[in-house]
Coordinates of all heavy atoms in Angstrom, one line a residue:
A1 N 0.8 -1.2 0.0 CA 0.0 0.0 0.0 C 0.9 1.3 0.0 O 0.6 2.2 -0.7 CB -0.9 0.0 1.2
R2 N 1.9 1.3 0.8 CA 2.8 2.4 0.9 C 3.6 2.6 -0.4 O 3.9 3.8 -0.8 CB 3.7 2.3 2.1 CG 3.1 2.5 3.4 CD 2.3 3.9 3.4 NE 3.2 5.0 3.2 CZ 2.9 6.1 2.6 NH1 1.7 6.3 2.0 NH2 3.8 7.1 2.5
E3 N 3.9 1.5 -1.1 CA 4.6 1.7 -2.4 C 3.7 2.4 -3.4 O 4.2 3.0 -4.3 CB 5.0 0.3 -2.9 CG 6.2 -0.3 -2.2 CD 6.5 -1.7 -2.7 OE1 5.7 -2.3 -3.5 OE2 7.6 -2.2 -2.4
R4 N 2.4 2.3 -3.2 CA 1.4 3.0 -4.1 C 1.0 4.3 -3.4 O 0.0 4.9 -3.9 CB 0.2 2.1 -4.3 CG 0.5 0.8 -5.1 CD -0.7 0.0 -5.4 NE -1.1 -0.8 -4.2 CZ -2.2 -0.6 -3.6 NH1 -3.1 0.3 -4.0 NH2 -2.5 -1.3 -2.5
T5 N 1.8 4.7 -2.4 CA 1.5 6.0 -1.7 C 0.1 6.1 -1.1 O -0.4 7.2 -1.1 CB 1.9 7.2 -2.6 OG1 0.9 7.3 -3.7 CG2 3.3 7.1 -3.1
V6 N -0.5 5.0 -0.7 CA -1.8 5.1 -0.1 C -1.6 5.5 1.4 O -0.9 4.8 2.1 CB -2.5 3.7 -0.2 CG1 -3.8 3.7 0.5 CG2 -2.7 3.3 -1.6
P7 N -2.3 6.5 1.8 CA -2.2 6.9 3.3 C -2.8 5.8 4.1 O -3.9 5.3 3.9 CB -3.0 8.2 3.3 CG -3.1 8.7 1.9 CD -3.1 7.5 1.1
I8 N -2.1 5.5 5.2 CA -2.5 4.4 6.1 C -2.7 4.9 7.5 O -1.8 5.5 8.1 CB -1.5 3.2 6.1 CG1 -1.3 2.7 4.7 CG2 -2.1 2.1 7.0 CD1 -2.5 2.1 4.0
S9 N -3.9 4.7 8.1 CA -4.1 5.1 9.5 C -4.1 3.9 10.4 O -4.1 2.7 9.9 CB -5.5 5.8 9.6 OG -6.5 4.9 9.4
G10 N -4.0 4.1 11.7 CA -4.1 3.0 12.6 C -5.3 2.2 12.5 O -5.3 0.9 12.6
Q11 N -6.5 2.8 12.3 CA -7.7 2.1 12.2 C -7.8 1.2 11.0 O -8.3 0.1 11.0 CB -8.9 3.2 12.1 CG -10.3 2.5 12.1 CD -10.5 1.7 13.4 OE1 -10.1 2.1 14.5 NE2 -11.2 0.6 13.2
I12 N -7.2 1.7 9.9 CA -7.1 0.9 8.7 C -6.3 -0.4 8.9 O -6.7 -1.5 8.5 CB -6.5 1.7 7.5 CG1 -7.5 2.8 7.1 CG2 -6.2 0.8 6.3 CD1 -7.0 3.8 6.0
I13 N -5.1 -0.2 9.6 CA -4.3 -1.3 9.9 C -5.0 -2.4 10.7 O -5.0 -3.6 10.5 CB -3.0 -0.9 10.6 CG1 -2.2 0.0 9.7 CG2 -2.2 -2.1 11.1 CD1 -0.9 0.6 10.3
R14 N -5.8 -1.9 11.7 CA -6.5 -2.8 12.6 C -7.6 -3.5 11.9 O -7.8 -4.7 12.1 CB -7.0 -2.0 13.8 CG -6.0 -1.5 14.7 CD -6.5 -0.5 15.7 NE -7.5 -1.1 16.6 CZ -8.2 -0.4 17.5 NH1 -8.2 0.9 17.5 NH2 -9.1 -1.0 18.3
E15 N -8.3 -2.8 11.0 CA -9.4 -3.4 10.2 C -8.8 -4.5 9.3 O -9.4 -5.6 9.1 CB -10.1 -2.4 9.4 CG -11.0 -1.4 10.3 CD -12.1 -2.2 10.9 OE1 -12.6 -3.2 10.4 OE2 -12.6 -1.7 12.0
K16 N -7.6 -4.2 8.7 CA -7.0 -5.1 7.8 C -6.5 -6.4 8.6 O -6.6 -7.5 8.1 CB -5.8 -4.5 7.1 CG -5.4 -5.2 5.8 CD -6.5 -5.2 4.8 CE -6.1 -6.0 3.5 NZ -7.1 -6.0 2.5
A17 N -6.1 -6.2 9.8 CA -5.6 -7.3 10.6 C -6.8 -8.2 10.9 O -6.7 -9.4 10.9 CB -5.0 -6.8 11.9
L18 N -8.0 -7.6 11.2 CA -9.2 -8.4 11.5 C -9.6 -9.2 10.2 O -10.1 -10.3 10.3 CB -10.3 -7.5 11.9 CG -10.1 -6.9 13.3 CD1 -11.2 -5.9 13.6 CD2 -10.1 -8.0 14.4
D19 N -9.4 -8.6 9.0 CA -9.7 -9.3 7.8 C -8.9 -10.5 7.6 O -9.3 -11.6 7.3 CB -9.5 -8.4 6.6 CG -10.6 -7.3 6.5 OD1 -11.7 -7.5 7.1 OD2 -10.4 -6.3 5.7
F20 N -7.6 -10.4 7.9 CA -6.6 -11.5 7.8 C -7.0 -12.5 8.9 O -6.8 -13.7 8.6 CB -5.2 -11.0 7.9 CG -4.7 -10.4 6.7 CD1 -4.2 -9.1 6.7 CD2 -4.6 -11.1 5.5 CE1 -3.7 -8.5 5.6 CE2 -4.1 -10.5 4.3 CZ -3.7 -9.2 4.4
A21 N -7.4 -12.1 10.1 CA -7.7 -13.0 11.1 C -8.9 -13.9 10.7 O -8.9 -15.1 11.0 CB -8.1 -12.3 12.4
K22 N -9.8 -13.4 10.0 CA -11.0 -14.2 9.5 C -10.5 -15.1 8.4 O -10.9 -16.3 8.4 CB -12.0 -13.2 8.9 CG -12.8 -12.4 9.9 CD -13.8 -11.5 9.2 CE -14.6 -10.7 10.2 NZ -15.6 -9.8 9.6
Q23 N -9.6 -14.7 7.5 CA -9.1 -15.5 6.5 C -8.3 -16.7 7.0 O -8.3 -17.8 6.5 CB -8.2 -14.7 5.5 CG -8.9 -13.7 4.7 CD -7.9 -12.9 3.8 OE1 -7.0 -13.5 3.2 NE2 -8.2 -11.6 3.7
F24 N -7.5 -16.5 8.1 CA -6.7 -17.5 8.8 C -7.4 -18.3 9.8 O -6.8 -19.1 10.5 CB -5.4 -16.8 9.4 CG -4.5 -16.2 8.3 CD1 -3.8 -15.0 8.7 CD2 -4.4 -16.6 7.1 CE1 -3.0 -14.4 7.8 CE2 -3.6 -16.0 6.1 CZ -2.9 -14.9 6.5
N25 N -8.7 -18.0 10.0 CA -9.5 -18.7 11.0 C -8.9 -18.5 12.4 O -8.7 -19.5 13.1 CB -9.7 -20.2 10.6 CG -10.8 -20.8 11.4 OD1 -11.7 -20.2 11.9 ND2 -10.6 -22.1 11.6
E26 N -8.7 -17.3 12.8 CA -8.2 -16.9 14.1 C -9.3 -16.1 14.8 O -9.1 -14.9 15.0 CB -6.9 -16.1 14.0 CG -5.8 -16.8 13.3 CD -5.1 -17.8 14.2 OE1 -5.6 -18.1 15.3 OE2 -4.0 -18.4 13.8
P27 N -10.3 -16.8 15.3 CA -11.5 -16.0 16.0 C -11.1 -15.3 17.3 O -11.8 -14.4 17.7 CB -12.5 -17.1 16.2 CG -11.7 -18.4 16.3 CD -10.5 -18.2 15.3
D28 N -10.0 -15.7 17.9 CA -9.6 -15.1 19.2 C -8.7 -13.9 19.0 O -8.4 -13.2 20.0 CB -8.9 -16.2 20.1 CG -9.8 -17.3 20.4 OD1 -11.0 -17.1 20.6 OD2 -9.3 -18.4 20.6
F29 N -8.3 -13.6 17.8 CA -7.4 -12.5 17.6 C -8.2 -11.2 17.8 O -9.3 -11.0 17.4 CB -6.9 -12.5 16.2 CG -6.1 -11.3 15.8 CD1 -4.8 -11.1 16.3 CD2 -6.7 -10.2 15.0 CE1 -4.1 -9.9 16.0 CE2 -6.0 -9.1 14.7 CZ -4.7 -9.0 15.2
K30 N -7.6 -10.2 18.6 CA -8.1 -8.9 18.8 C -7.2 -7.9 18.3 O -6.0 -7.8 18.7 CB -8.4 -8.7 20.3 CG -9.2 -9.8 21.0 CD -10.6 -9.8 20.5 CE -11.4 -10.9 21.3 NZ -12.8 -11.0 20.7
A31 N -7.6 -7.1 17.4 CA -6.8 -6.0 16.8 C -6.9 -4.8 17.7 O -7.4 -3.7 17.3 CB -7.3 -5.7 15.4
S32 N -6.4 -4.9 18.9 CA -6.5 -3.8 19.9 C -5.4 -2.8 19.7 O -4.5 -2.9 18.8 CB -6.3 -4.4 21.3 OG -5.0 -5.0 21.4
E33 N -5.5 -1.7 20.4 CA -4.5 -0.6 20.3 C -3.2 -1.2 20.8 O -2.1 -0.8 20.3 CB -4.9 0.6 21.2 CG -6.0 1.4 20.6 CD -5.6 2.2 19.4 OE1 -4.3 2.3 19.2 OE2 -6.4 2.8 18.7
G34 N -3.2 -2.1 21.8 CA -2.0 -2.7 22.3 C -1.3 -3.5 21.2 O -0.1 -3.5 21.0

């Protein structure tokens, strides 16, 4: 995304992490601030 100069916020990163968690079948993963 950064190679394409797309601005990335923390919320976008967390949402993307949750998307990958669903793909990898990781229901216990929490994309928290921590």
Side-chain angles (χ1 to χ4, degrees):
R2 287 305 300 144
E3 285 178 349
R4 293 182 284 115
T5 67
V6 177
I8 304 295
S9 67
Q11 186 59 37
I12 291 175
I13 294 174
R14 293 169 63 190
E15 290 294 335
K16 198 63 183 179
L18 289 173
D19 287 343
F20 283 121
K22 290 180 180 179
Q23 294 180 37
F24 299 145
N25 194 26
E26 299 281 7
D28 295 329
F29 173 78
K30 306 295 182 184
S32 63
E33 284 289 349

